[in-house]
Amino acid sequence: MTPKEKFDDLHYNVVILRNWVAYLKSQLNWSNAQVEQLFEQCHSHVSFLDSDDNWFGQKLADDINERVVQLTGDPDIARKVGVFALHESVRGIAGNIVSSLLSPRMIFKNIGTVSGYYSKAATLSAVSVARGSAIIRSEPNPFCVEQPYQCQNRIGMLEAAPTLFHANQIRIEHPVCLHKGAKYCQYDIYWSSSWKSQPGLITAGITLLALAALVPTLGITQGLLATLFTSLASFVVLREISIQHLSSTMRGQNATLKESLNTLNRRHEEATILRQTVESTIEMMPLGSLSEVVVHSIKEKMKYDRAIILLVDGTVLRTQATAGYQEKYAHLIKKTEFNIDPNNFSGYFIRAINTKKPLLVRNVQQNLDQLSGRSRDLAKALNTDSFIAAPMVFHEEVLGVLAVENDKTSVPLSHNDLQLMTALASNIAVAIANARSYQETNRALKLNQDLRNLFQKYVPSEMRVDDNTHIDDIFRLEQKVLGIMFIDLVGFTSLSEKETPDRIAKTLNIYIDEVQKQVEAHGGRINKIMGDGMLIYFDPTTSNVIHAGGAILGAMAAINRRLTAEKLPQISVGVGAHKGLCTLGNIGSVNRLDYTLIGDAVNVASRIESYTRKTGPNTFCFSKVLMDQAQDCETTPCGDITLKGHREPIEIIQYLGPTKVKKVA
């Protein structure tokens, strides 16, 4: 653990901050609003003071002292707070501990135990304790950096301790100081005691007066009477102190037990809500239903007046579910939206989202000026007095806000409620993320079959997959001898300049539809559609590429009839074909794949299609290697042609049509 990490540890109990607040309110007449503003400026919240179980670090201690000194202009305020800290108006841990120690000597003898309830930053010990004096040493703990003002605060508390027992003429010296280069601090304390009357002494006095009246009758000597007086007085005083001590201890234990039972009950209810949330998630409950279950459980189990879940939808925060609101307001709240502005920290819900921190707002009606007009009207109508807004964060992403509120007739919200809602919000965020994942998965499953069917239109039958297909089979490349065909519209560029995009799209759809019919009828597969062009391949062992090309030319009349009926321009095509070894399969990067053909045969087929611009529109040319499939076709040689990108010339043949059958005389 680094020194910085140790510096940020929680060394101080919240009762120290509570003393500061008590002093500011009692001695300087600070209002609740001023105290709340102080804690906000120190990046904390006043509800932190609610529980004695809370501890804080050096940074918050320094921030509070620095800010209070600035606001009050009193550099000695830490010592004054220390003196005030053991004032009889301070309650809680301090009162219970001090009241059980009987005298200043007992306090100073047990200073280590007493101080441990407040601070772990230093170890206090009694070097010597005598009647009317004590020497106390404070040694800093490793990695904890106390500041000079904390030393002054401790001096104030040590100075105030004897006053609890009506001691007077108190004097404190500080001969050794850590902040002046020493390894520890030493405090020399001197006081003189005054007698504090006890109710038991009155009883003892009355009893002894009665005994004195009976002396002549009972024959009791004055010496024996003095002995009886001393014994009885001691007994009564000790008995009275014991009773007071026992009563104080029992009150403290009863309060602690009651608080513990309340805490256990709340934790049980929290566990119940979490169990219901998990069960709802396991049941694959829709997001809306899940949110309704959660808010109603929180309201009923945790005894809050109202509960609400709002979810982030893009840049808007929308109400998802509510519980406890009157019907006339519930409908209004469900329509309420909040724009999420990353620079906005004034609106309560948006502040919780932007800071990713929960907040407890008290006295809402007194702080309406902090709200927007719409939120202010809503808060007035609902009579909201206090509420908690806890962001629901999952993997650093804020999914929404869980909020609970009470009106003025309910128990005020506390820091314990804030901690509880923070824990619930964290767990509910997981459930919401799971519910969203389920919805996305369900939508994906519904689309799956359509996507599979659509996918089959782009890949050959050998590429089709089922539940038994291994992933390696999908990405395996194959080498095959294939018949390759390219088809392209003639004059498409000029056509695009004349026609609107929607008319061009309709023209292409009709053209591609008719070509696909002919390709599939002849055992081919359209591998790629490139605007107005298409890459088509055939297995030459099971299909006839020349017949397919002839069928496409033959379909041009039907294509143009459909175009004319739609009042679209007529078109013409060029078709080129070749046969050769190709690589077939998924090719691309980790982010994008394309099921395609590559190889010299593909390039040659493309060049032959380009050559058809010289033979005229609606012509089909192919290489001599496909001549074995043109035995029943009329063809004409085009000669040896040197294609672009090829050194060696290729003999090209032009398809003229099927062989005419001669009539037998």
Side-chain angles (χ1 to χ4, degrees):
M1 185 174 287
T2 66
K4 181 182 184 303
E5 289 172 327
K6 279 289 186 180
F7 181 77
D8 290 337
D9 277 354
L10 306 180
H11 295 300
Y12 307 105
N13 187 268
V14 70
V15 73
I16 295 176
L17 293 181
R18 200 179 291 150
N19 292 339
W20 280 77
V21 170
Y23 178 85
L24 294 173
K25 287 184 176 182
S26 173
Q27 304 301 306
L28 301 183
N29 297 318
W30 275 35
S31 65
N32 289 331
Q34 287 177 292
V35 172
E36 290 178 5
Q37 186 177 21
L38 168 66
F39 276 81
E40 287 182 2
Q41 291 171 346
C42 297
H43 308 288
S44 184
H45 195 276
V46 70
S47 64
F48 184 69
L49 307 180
D50 291 343
S51 174
D52 290 340
D53 294 331
N54 292 330
W55 290 71
F56 62 98
Q58 186 68 39
K59 185 178 186 308
L60 181 57
D62 292 345
D63 290 346
I64 291 289
N65 177 76
E66 180 181 0
R67 189 62 183 155
V68 171
V69 169
Q70 290 176 353
L71 294 172
T72 62
D74 185 356
D76 194 39
I77 196 166
R79 178 166 179 155
K80 294 177 181 178
V81 171
V83 173
F84 178 80
L86 296 183
H87 190 271
E88 62 181 6
S89 63
V90 178
R91 296 290 184 248
I93 293 177
N96 290 334
I97 294 173
V98 173
S99 64
S100 66
L101 293 177
L102 306 180
S103 69
R105 292 177 63 188
M106 291 294 290
I107 290 179
F108 293 130
K109 282 183 178 180
N110 294 276
I111 192 69
T113 301
V114 174
S115 64
Y117 286 99
Y118 302 98
S119 172
K120 301 174 184 176
T123 301
L124 270 66
S125 59
V127 177
S128 66
V129 178
R131 185 186 297 272
S133 67
I135 299 176
I136 305 300
R137 177 177 295 179
S138 173
E139 298 182 77
N141 289 337
F143 301 109
C144 185
V145 186
E146 281 196 340
Q147 301 300 315
Y149 75 87
Q150 291 172 302
C151 183
Q152 292 301 310
N153 181 260
R154 183 179 294 119
I155 290 174
M157 295 186 72
L158 293 173
E159 182 180 352
T163 64
L164 294 173
F165 303 91
H166 298 271
N168 52 36
Q169 298 180 4
I170 301 165
R171 178 168 54 90
I172 186 165
E173 298 176 358
H174 189 27
V176 181
C177 184
L178 176 72
H179 304 291
K180 294 181 180 180
K183 294 183 179 180
Y184 59 88
C185 284
Q186 179 176 311
Y187 309 97
D188 298 347
I189 309 158
Y190 304 94
W191 71 93
S192 59
S193 299
S194 62
W195 181 258
K196 181 180 178 181
S197 63
Q198 297 285 349
L201 290 179
I202 298 174
T203 304
I206 295 173
T207 303
L208 291 174
L209 287 174
L211 287 174
L214 294 175
V215 167
T217 306
L218 300 177
I220 301 175
T221 65
Q222 291 184 351
L224 179 58
L225 181 60
T227 302
L228 288 174
F229 179 84
T230 303
S231 300
L232 183 58
S234 299
F235 170 77
V236 172
V237 170
L238 291 176
R239 179 177 178 276
E240 188 69 28
I241 292 175
S242 297
I243 291 174
Q244 291 182 3
H245 182 202
L246 181 60
S247 299
S248 175
T249 302
M250 290 182 65
R251 285 195 301 272
Q253 290 178 343
N254 287 338
T256 302
L257 179 59
K258 184 176 180 180
E259 182 176 353
S260 298
L261 290 174
N262 289 335
T263 301
L264 287 174
N265 184 59
R266 300 279 282 183
R267 295 304 178 194
H268 171 72
E269 299 297 352
E270 177 188 0
T272 301
I273 294 172
L274 293 179
R275 177 177 55 79
Q276 291 177 340
T277 303
V278 171
E279 289 175 352
S280 300
T281 306
I282 294 174
E283 293 173 3
M284 301 302 182
M285 190 174 287
L287 184 56
S289 301
L290 172 65
S291 301
E292 291 288 346
V293 169
V294 170
V295 293
H296 282 89
S297 294
I298 290 175
K299 178 186 178 300
E300 298 301 327
K301 299 292 184 183
M302 310 308 296
K303 309 303 181 185
Y304 294 118
D305 291 342
R306 296 181 280 261
I308 183 173
I309 285 180
L310 304 97
L311 297 183
V312 174
D313 183 7
T315 60
V316 176
L317 184 66
R318 292 191 173 95
T319 302
Q320 182 69 30
T322 63
Y325 293 90
Q326 297 180 24
E327 186 176 350
K328 61 180 179 179
Y329 295 128
H331 181 70
L332 176 63
I333 292 171
K334 288 186 177 181
K335 289 187 175 182
T336 301
E337 297 181 356
F338 301 90
N339 293 323
I340 301 175
D341 180 358
N343 298 316
N344 178 16
F345 292 91
S346 59
Y348 296 130
F349 290 149
I350 303 303
R351 188 197 307 177
I353 288 178
N354 289 338
T355 62
K356 295 183 181 179
K357 294 180 179 179
L359 57 93
L360 189 161
V361 181
R362 290 168 169 163
N363 304 318
V364 175
Q365 299 299 320
Q366 298 179 16
N367 297 281
L368 293 176
D369 57 334
Q370 300 182 20
L371 303 176
S372 65
R374 183 175 56 181
S375 298
R376 184 164 52 248
D377 293 341
L378 188 61
K380 285 182 179 179
L382 296 174
N383 196 30
T384 302
D385 183 54
S386 62
F387 73 90
I388 291 171
M392 298 182 293
V393 184
F394 180 73
H395 288 178
E396 298 300 320
E397 178 187 0
V398 181
L399 304 183
V401 174
L402 168 66
V404 295
E405 61 176 291
N406 283 345
D407 58 28
K408 293 182 178 180
T409 61
S410 301
V411 178
L413 297 174
S414 67
H415 186 73
N416 288 337
D417 295 300
L418 185 68
Q419 291 179 317
L420 177 60
M421 287 301 105
T422 302
L424 281 175
S426 177
N427 286 277
I428 293 169
V430 176
I432 288 175
N434 290 338
R436 283 182 169 173
S437 297
Y438 167 71
Q439 289 182 344
E440 292 298 326
T441 302
N442 195 42
R443 280 195 289 266
L445 290 174
K446 290 179 181 178
L447 291 174
N448 181 59
Q449 191 58 48
D450 291 338
L451 291 175
R452 288 172 70 96
N453 294 337
L454 183 61
F455 180 68
Q456 304 306 334
K457 297 180 180 180
Y458 293 87
V459 296
S461 58
E462 59 265 28
M463 184 59 194
R464 294 180 182 178
V465 299
D466 55 32
D467 294 338
N468 297 320
T469 302
H470 194 276
I471 190 67
D472 292 340
D473 297 332
I474 297 176
F475 296 100
R476 183 178 293 115
L477 297 177
E478 298 180 86
Q479 286 193 325
K480 287 185 177 183
V481 175
L482 297 172
I484 310 299
M485 178 184 291
F486 274 88
I487 179 172
D488 202 7
L489 291 184
V490 177
F492 181 71
T493 301
S494 60
L495 181 66
S496 299
E497 293 175 351
K498 298 175 183 178
E499 299 292 339
T500 60
D502 60 324
R503 284 172 60 81
I504 291 295
K506 289 181 180 179
T507 300
L508 290 176
N509 286 339
I510 292 173
Y511 147 65
I512 294 171
D513 180 56
E514 290 292 340
V515 170
Q516 182 177 357
K517 291 177 183 177
Q518 300 304 321
V519 170
E520 291 181 350
H522 289 81
R525 175 73 61 175
I526 297 177
N527 174 258
K528 199 181 303 296
I529 298 175
M530 303 161 290
D532 63 315
M534 284 176 271
L535 168 59
I536 306 165
Y537 66 95
F538 301 83
D539 184 346
T541 63
T542 59
S543 58
N544 190 301
V545 181
I546 306 304
H547 290 176
I552 291 172
L553 290 183
M556 290 307 300
I559 291 173
N560 283 320
R561 283 195 297 271
R562 288 183 60 183
L563 292 173
T564 301
E566 296 288 338
K567 297 181 180 181
L568 296 170
Q570 294 192 354
I571 60 172
S572 58
V573 298
V575 182
H578 182 57
K579 182 176 73 171
L581 186 64
C582 303
T583 299
L584 176 67
N586 284 298
I587 298 173
S589 67
V590 293
N591 295 322
R592 182 174 177 82
L593 291 173
D594 186 18
Y595 191 85
T596 190
L597 309 172
I598 58 173
D600 184 63
V602 178
N603 296 331
V604 171
S606 176
R607 301 305 182 196
I608 293 175
E609 187 278 320
S610 298
Y611 174 77
T612 61
R613 298 299 181 275
K614 297 181 180 181
T615 60
N618 291 330
T619 57
F620 170 31
C621 294
F622 56 91
S623 64
K624 189 177 180 180
V625 295
L626 284 169
M627 195 63 195
D628 62 324
Q629 295 191 9
Q631 298 301 318
D632 55 351
C633 301
E634 297 286 341
T635 62
T636 183
C638 298
D640 292 341
I641 307 299
T642 301
L643 301 173
K644 183 178 179 180
H646 264 256
R647 295 179 181 178
E648 299 296 329
I650 295 176
E651 186 175 352
I652 295 178
I653 310 296
Q654 181 179 352
Y655 173 85
L656 299 178
T659 301
K660 295 180 180 179
V661 180
K662 295 182 179 180
K663 293 183 180 180
V664 179

